Amino acid sequence: MGERRRMEVQDALWLAMDRPTNLMVIDSVMWTATPIDWEHFEAVVRHRLWERYRVFRSVVVRGGDDAWYWQERDGLDLAEHLTRVVLPEPGGDFDFKLTITNT
């Protein structure tokens, strides 16, 4: 495990509000007029978020003082946290089921 930093009050509050019936998550969905270059997209996310902000490479741990901390994890792979979904032709609006697993 890497460096440990005490969690800011806002993040601790967000964590405390997270419940099975009140999920505190942030998701993104993007529609584009033309397909994007996935490798380029991943490289931009890696450079602008993953490498710049340690929190994206960290997990939550509770310290001996009962406070919450961000613990940077060695060996995390950004690719395991990005999911590309390509809708089948002909496209358009229709119902679909998305299953998300927490790793």
Side-chain angles (χ1 to χ4, degrees):
M1 288 281 194
E3 181 182 341
R4 179 183 282 195
R5 293 175 294 110
R6 190 176 179 121
M7 187 179 284
E8 297 289 333
V9 173
Q10 298 89 339
D11 289 335
L13 177 62
W14 190 271
L15 179 65
M17 291 188 302
D18 188 40
R19 298 284 181 269
T21 57
N22 186 43
L23 298 176
M24 304 301 290
V25 298
I26 299 172
D27 294 317
S28 294
V29 175
M30 292 183 272
W31 271 269
T32 60
T34 59
I36 62 171
D37 178 335
W38 186 255
E39 289 179 12
H40 178 71
F41 172 77
E42 187 174 333
V44 169
V45 170
R46 181 177 307 283
H47 174 71
R48 294 186 183 175
L49 297 174
W50 190 259
E51 293 171 353
R52 187 178 291 178
Y53 301 104
R54 290 181 293 191
V55 70
F56 289 108
R57 302 181 312 270
S58 300
V59 294
V60 176
V61 296
R62 186 158 241 163
D65 58 357
D66 214 29
W68 291 106
Y69 290 84
W70 289 113
Q71 177 84 44
E72 194 168 352
R73 283 187 56 192
D74 301 325
L76 285 181
D77 183 7
L78 171 63
E80 294 177 10
H81 298 275
L82 297 177
T83 303
R84 178 182 182 198
V85 177
V86 179
L87 299 179
E89 292 294 334
D93 296 331
F94 63 91
D95 292 332
F96 68 94
K97 180 180 178 183
L98 176 63
T99 302
I100 300 174
T101 58
N102 187 3
T103 57

